Amino acid sequence: MRVASTSPTGDHMPTDPTGAANRLRDRILDAVEQYDAERTDSDTHDDPLSRSYLEHLAKRYDVISQRGSKAEQAQKITQKITAEFSLLDVRVLRMVADALAAAVPAIVTKHAAAGMEPPQIAEKIALTPSRVYSILREQRKAEEVQEIIAAGVANDPDPHASYKKYEKALANADGAEDFLAAFRAALPDKTTEPPTA
């Protein structure tokens, strides 16, 4: 289906948004991407771990991934990272990535509690909305489990002894560490307990 559009002179001319217009858009994006890549590739980066440079690499890689660009374009980024990042740089980024992955549920929950809608969070953090909803459900379940464990610990005459029994009984059991961690968090400080006679 052709849609009429207005030229700079005011005349109406037919366009094809699924054909020529898309090809033109792709050519423009290719030109912008190439210009940006050449401009940045010619720059000297004293600190490849700077926020601005990491943002640049992330955006370039995202554009290539989203648009299914040619393999050689992705290879250029890989070569650039190989040339500019030291072993220590790679170690730092990998450690930060691991820590960040562990923090994502808390970050999502924090912004949801502040009133941000899950689709907004998903867009900002580059996750799917369904994944954000899943994280929020998992966090609510974890909070409910923590509340149940805390109530049980509060009514236990010797919660520290109970913890030791659970720790021994659940050694190497799947999922036990989460339960034991919640139990530990609910334990009262031993220094606040009255001395035994």
Side-chain angles (χ1 to χ4, degrees):
M1 174 182 173
R2 293 185 178 273
V3 180
S5 65
T6 305
S7 71
T9 60
D11 299 327
H12 288 282
M13 58 186 204
T15 60
D16 181 2
T18 60
N22 282 346
R23 287 194 296 274
L24 177 60
R25 181 203 61 195
D26 286 344
R27 288 176 62 189
I28 292 171
L29 289 174
D30 284 339
V32 170
E33 183 182 329
Q34 183 178 353
Y35 169 77
D36 184 50
E38 290 174 355
R39 180 176 57 82
T40 309
D41 288 347
S42 66
D43 293 343
T44 300
H45 302 285
D46 295 328
D47 183 10
L49 298 185
S50 68
R51 179 176 183 139
S52 62
Y53 188 52
L54 290 176
E55 283 182 355
H56 162 75
L57 288 177
K59 285 176 184 175
R60 278 187 64 190
Y61 192 77
D62 186 54
V63 167
I64 288 171
S65 300
Q66 293 292 336
R67 297 183 53 228
S69 299
K70 296 178 181 178
E72 55 262 29
Q73 291 177 308
Q75 190 176 21
K76 283 182 180 178
I77 294 182
T78 303
Q79 291 170 343
K80 191 166 182 57
I81 290 173
T82 302
E84 296 188 358
F85 285 70
S86 69
L87 289 174
L88 180 58
D89 293 338
V90 173
R91 176 184 171 84
V92 167
L93 288 173
R94 286 174 60 86
M95 292 174 71
V96 168
D98 289 343
L100 186 58
V104 163
I107 293 169
V108 167
T109 303
K110 168 187 167 185
H111 288 282
M116 186 177 284
E117 293 296 323
Q120 290 178 297
I121 297 172
E123 183 180 358
K124 293 284 186 185
I125 206 169
L127 292 174
T128 62
S130 62
R131 179 60 187 136
V132 171
Y133 281 114
S134 176
I135 288 171
L136 293 173
R137 283 194 300 271
E138 289 167 5
Q139 289 295 101
R140 279 195 292 271
K141 281 183 183 177
E143 289 170 4
E144 289 170 4
V145 169
Q146 181 69 58
E147 289 171 5
I148 292 169
I149 292 173
V153 169
N155 294 318
D156 191 330
D158 191 353
H160 292 279
S162 296
Y163 173 78
K164 288 179 182 177
K165 290 178 184 176
Y166 280 123
E167 187 178 36
K168 185 176 180 181
L170 297 174
N172 302 319
D174 290 341
E177 184 50 42
D178 290 340
F179 169 77
L180 293 173
F183 202 115
R184 283 194 300 271
L187 284 172
D189 187 348
K190 277 191 170 185
T191 59
T192 64
E193 297 177 355
T196 55

